[in-house]
Amino acid sequence: MQSQFIKYNNMSSEGKVRVMTTHRLLEMKERGEKIAMLTAYDYTSASIVDEAGIDIILVGDSAANVMAGHETTLPITIDQMIYHAQSVMRAVKNPLVVVDMPFGSYQGNSKMAVSNAIRIMKESEADAVKIEGGMEILESVERILSAGIPVMGHLGLTPQSIHKFGTYAVRAKEEEEAAKLLQDAIALENAGCFALVLEKIPASLGKKVAETLKIPVIGIGAGKYVDGQVLVMHDMLGLTTQFSPRFLRRYANLHDICLEAFRQYIHDVKACDFPNDNEQY
Ligand code: KIV
């Protein structure tokens, strides 16, 4: 099947024309311009990410971890993903918005996969879906694409399969697994995926995949040679403190800033310092 890319500007729910399209992402790769992607799950943070000029917002199923406090991404439901995606869509003006299909919504049954993808697109008005896996989910990828829904692939560390692998360690270090990953990546491109996320694999393999594929390859712990990078917003802002993989660069320490603000507020309330005369009616 031929790749099908959105060539035209996307319409926001308020009828505003958004700038980023899957076609533009392809052009960025062709001219060697790196793609910046971040997760967002709510209106306020998505507005700030949009204002900063991000290319892609991922409404990731990492919401299960950072928003809901689950240990894995498995418990999040389609309804919850749609809720997060709708909140993000109310905020965005420019970036492409991709929504993770949650665990259980596309594996093993391609008919169910396409109806779930259609539901996500209809109810959230996002631009694309992302699904984890290679050959084993190819039928679902093809069916979703045949409904006209752009699909982003995800290989390497695939958190929805954590119980199969049993560890969040670096993937595809051995030759056999690396060769399979490359074959899966080619199969996803041939099926028509518009981009691919590679998570936690050696940089040399990330380079090889990015050089082999025409579609943009976006890494999280996949080294510097890929076509773009993605991070989980709460991790890069330093809101989370327990999670410190080598690939994570923290751009702020919001945990400490928030903690200090909350403590100061509690102190002020208890000391009858808040509200003061100017802060009341
Ligand atoms: O859910 C998520 O945040 C993701 C990224 C880690 C790529 O899939």
Side-chain angles (χ1 to χ4, degrees), residues 37 39 41 58 60-63 73 100 130 132 154 197 199 220 230 232:
M37 170 162 139
T39 67
Y41 319 95
L58 172 66
D61 60 356
S62 49
T73 56
D100 259 333
K130 174 165 84 58
E132 297 181 6
H154 183 155
V197 166
E199 182 164 354
I220 172 161
V230 54
V232 169

Side-chain angles (χ1 to χ4, degrees), residues 26-231:
L26 189 65
E27 290 174 342
M28 286 171 79
K29 169 158 184 159
E30 283 164 2
R31 31 170 214 272
E33 187 183 338
K34 296 283 186 186
I35 296 164
M37 170 162 139
L38 269 178
T39 67
Y41 319 95
D42 69 278
Y43 174 84
T44 305
S45 63
S47 312
I48 302 171
V49 175
D50 184 337
E51 190 182 339
I54 204 79
D55 298 310
I56 308 175
I57 289 182
L58 172 66
V59 183
D61 60 356
S62 49
N65 310 121
V66 297
M67 300 298 289
H70 293 293
E71 287 236 332
T72 72
T73 56
L74 275 65
I76 201 159
T77 64
I78 299 201
D79 285 345
Q80 289 164 338
M81 288 305 300
I82 289 172
Y83 167 78
H84 288 299
Q86 286 171 336
S87 309
V88 166
M89 287 304 292
R90 281 183 212 110
V92 293
K93 296 193 178 71
N94 289 321
L96 194 86
V97 179
V98 181
V99 183
D100 259 333
M101 292 192 67
F103 176 66
S105 68
Y106 59 91
Q107 296 96 336
N109 181 339
S110 61
K111 280 193 185 158
M112 174 196 70
V114 73
S115 48
N116 284 331
I118 288 171
R119 222 194 118 202
I120 290 172
M121 297 294 283
K122 254 187 192 295
E123 293 182 32
S124 73
E125 298 184 80
D127 303 309
V129 296
K130 174 165 84 58
I131 67 184
E132 297 181 6
M135 294 298 199
E136 66 283 4
I137 50 111
L138 209 58
E139 198 180 303
S140 292
V141 171
E142 283 168 348
R143 266 197 199 251
I144 295 170
L145 284 162
S146 73
I149 300 171
V151 178
M152 175 181 270
H154 183 155
L155 295 171
L157 174 61
T158 47
Q160 290 180 14
S161 308
I162 184 60
H163 295 307
K164 178 172 158 195
F165 294 108
T167 158
Y168 287 104
V170 178
R171 292 285 142 78
K173 277 162 95 177
E174 306 304 327
E175 223 170 275
E176 199 181 327
E177 201 186 335
K180 181 182 178 322
L181 188 146
L182 183 60
Q183 288 315 308
D184 281 344
I186 293 169
L188 290 170
E189 173 168 275
N190 289 341
C193 286
F194 73 92
L196 176 66
V197 166
L198 289 181
E199 182 164 354
K200 219 169 176 188
I201 58 163
S204 56
L205 180 59
K207 182 172 191 272
K208 193 167 182 185
V209 177
E211 284 172 357
T212 305
L213 300 194
K214 289 194 177 60
I215 58 171
V217 174
I218 297 168
I220 172 161
K224 60 182 179 182
Y225 305 108
V226 290
D227 307 305
Q229 301 293 330
V230 54
L231 285 175

